[in-house]
């Protein structure tokens, strides 16, 4: 199965890959139709949308940013939160950003869109201390772009000011470095679901010749960049798989990040590949991964009790 994930995307152009998959908006409509749920969406600036899972009046909210190399839309993330809220009975909602994919839009459009979503929620009366930001893979990258923007406002994105720190930040296999020179790319070349064959060209399309900086390459941010992190989030969870290509980059990033937020939980799961929780959902894995169990427990604990 991992071989298929590596080979198939490399065989098609970005446009061809998108032709054969649902967009985030299409996936949300299919999800709500299947569950007989009334769709509830938000129109945002910069031609973005966001879709609710659970009541929009909920006190506590997870802003979730899906992965997919900025090429693929959200899919199993809708089902994940629906099942999480149903089985745990936690009183909360998730809002999934339908950011514009490449090549239609490139950096920093997606940062502008997620900043607009957070500003919108704050404008409706949601407290930062009731909001979790989460993301898997490219979504984790976008989440970190947003955190950097809150700490050091990006000149191209709408400013976001927090009255209190966010409830939490959850990063699942975040894409923290577009370069592919880390030893784990060689070590896990035939173990992981991702490959440099498409990571490199797709990241170049995303950057659109923009220079590397702290907003688009979290790993290149210094320890000092994150100094005021405790003013932005109360807690953080960073997970990775020991058998993923991103492993070494995530470890190096997490070391700097944790120096600014000592309470951050950084976990590497043996025998797991990139974005294991959501890849398992896509492949209908029979056994739940350890990282999935940890992610669900962490989210529920934060949404039910905060700190």
């Amino acid at each position: 199965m991992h071989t298929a994930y590596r080979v198939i995307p490399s065989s098609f152009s970005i446009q061809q890959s998108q032709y054969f998959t649902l967009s985030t908006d299409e996936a949300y409509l299919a999800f709500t139709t299947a569950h007989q749920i009334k769709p509830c969406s938000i129109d945002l600036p910069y031609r973005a949308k966001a879709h609710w899972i659970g009541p929009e009046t909920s006190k506590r909210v997870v802003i979730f940013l899906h992965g997919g190399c900025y090429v693929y839309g959200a899919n199993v993330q809708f089902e994940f939160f629906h099942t999480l809220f149903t089985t745990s009975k936690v009183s909360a909602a998730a809002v999934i950003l339908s950011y514009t994919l490449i090549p239609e839009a490139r950096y920093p459009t997606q940062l502008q869109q997620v900043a607009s979503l957070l500003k919108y929620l704050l404008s409706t009366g949601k407290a930062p201390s009731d909001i979790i930001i989460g993301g898997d893979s490219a979504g984790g990258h976008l989440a970190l772009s947003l955190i950097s923007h809150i700490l050091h406002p990006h000149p191209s994105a709408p400013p976001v000011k927090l009255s209190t720190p966010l409830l939490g930040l959850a990063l699942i296999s975040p894409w923290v470095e577009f370069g592919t020179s880390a030893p784990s790319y060689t070590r896990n070349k035939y173990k992981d679901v991702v490959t440099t064959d498409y990571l490199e060209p797709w990241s170049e399309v995303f950057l659109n010749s923009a220079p590397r900086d702290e907003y688009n390459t979290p790993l290149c941010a210094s320890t000092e960049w994150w100094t005021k992190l405790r003013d932005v989030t109360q807690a953080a969870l960073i997970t990775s798989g020991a058998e993923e290509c991103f492993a070494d980059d995530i470890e190096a990033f997490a070391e700097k990040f944790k120096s600014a937020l000592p309470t951050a939980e950084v976990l590497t799961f043996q025998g797991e590949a990139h974005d294991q929780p959501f890849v398992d959902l896509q492949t209908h894995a029979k056994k739940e991964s350890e990282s999935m169990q940890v992610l669900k427990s962490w989210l529920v604990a934060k949404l039910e009790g905060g700190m």
Side-chain angles (χ1 to χ4, degrees), residues 70 141 175-180 200 203 206-207 212 216-217:
Y70 290 103
H141 173 270
W175 198 4
V176 297
E177 167 62 69
F178 291 140
T180 58
E200 291 177 343
S203 63
F206 169 76
L207 284 174
R212 281 165 47 99
N216 60 43
T217 310

Side-chain angles (χ1 to χ4, degrees), residues 39 42 49-50 52 60 71 74 78 87 93 118 127 135 139-140 161 192 198-199 207 220 236 239 245 272 275:
I42 309 163
K49 283 189 174 184
W52 286 97
R60 290 201 157 159
V71 168
F78 298 114
T87 57
L118 180 54
K161 294 185 179 180
D192 203 6
Y198 60 83
L199 288 175
L207 284 174
C220 82
T239 69
C245 290
E272 295 195 14
D275 205 6

Side-chain angles (χ1 to χ4, degrees), residues 73-304:
N75 43 59
V76 295
Q77 289 84 356
F78 298 114
E79 194 67 49
F80 168 76
F81 282 104
H82 176 72
T83 301
L84 179 70
F85 297 149
T86 301
T87 57
S88 69
K89 307 298 183 184
V90 66
S91 179
V95 59
I96 297 178
L97 177 65
S98 178
Y99 57 80
T100 309
L101 303 175
I102 61 171
E104 181 181 347
R106 309 184 188 196
Y107 174 80
T109 300
Q110 295 81 3
L111 172 57
Q112 295 168 335
Q113 292 173 330
V114 69
S116 295
L117 173 56
L118 180 54
K119 282 180 68 75
Y120 168 81
L121 291 179
L122 296 175
S123 73
T124 66
K126 306 291 186 192
S129 56
D130 288 323
I131 297 174
I132 291 174
I133 307 290
D136 65 296
S137 193
H141 173 270
L142 185 53
L144 285 168
S145 293
L146 176 61
I147 298 301
S148 284
H149 172 57
I150 296 171
L151 285 167
H152 311 277
H154 190 288
S156 297
V160 178
K161 294 185 179 180
L162 302 180
S163 57
T164 60
L166 297 164
L167 177 57
L169 174 69
L171 305 171
I172 303 91
S173 293
W175 198 4
V176 297
E177 167 62 69
F178 291 140
T180 58
S181 62
S184 51
Y185 275 92
T186 301
R187 186 173 69 247
N188 295 326
K189 182 175 181 179
Y190 298 109
K191 298 177 182 179
D192 203 6
V193 296
V194 299
T195 172
T196 58
D197 290 346
Y198 60 83
L199 288 175
E200 291 177 343
W202 289 0
S203 63
E204 289 179 6
V205 173
F206 169 76
L207 284 174
N208 196 29
S209 301
R212 281 165 47 99
D213 61 25
E214 294 86 351
Y215 304 97
N216 60 43
T217 310
L219 181 57
C220 82
S222 66
T223 301
E224 290 72 27
W225 180 265
W226 306 109
T227 299
K228 295 184 179 180
L229 191 56
R230 280 177 284 189
D231 295 336
V232 176
T233 183
Q234 301 174 35
L237 172 69
I238 305 173
T239 69
S240 63
E243 296 185 353
E244 71 168 289
C245 290
F246 292 179
D248 291 350
D249 286 335
I250 294 173
E251 181 182 359
F253 160 77
E255 183 178 349
K256 290 189 284 187
F257 193 87
K258 191 172 174 65
S259 69
L261 189 70
T263 57
E265 299 173 58
V266 180
L267 302 172
T268 301
F269 296 93
Q270 298 302 313
E272 295 195 14
H274 176 67
D275 205 6
Q276 195 72 58
F278 293 102
V279 169
D280 281 352
L281 289 178
Q282 291 173 342
T283 58
H284 305 285
K286 295 180 180 179
K287 184 179 179 181
E288 191 170 77
S289 66
E290 185 180 359
S291 58
M292 173 62 92
Q293 295 171 14
V294 168
L295 174 61
K296 293 196 299 186
S297 297
W298 188 89
L299 286 171
V300 170
K302 294 300 177 210
L303 292 170
E304 285 184 337

Side-chain angles (χ1 to χ4, degrees), residues 2-12 193 195 197-198:
H2 287 188
T3 301
Y5 270 84
R6 290 195 301 270
V7 173
I8 293 175
S10 305
S11 304
F12 299 99
V193 296
T195 172
D197 290 346
Y198 60 83

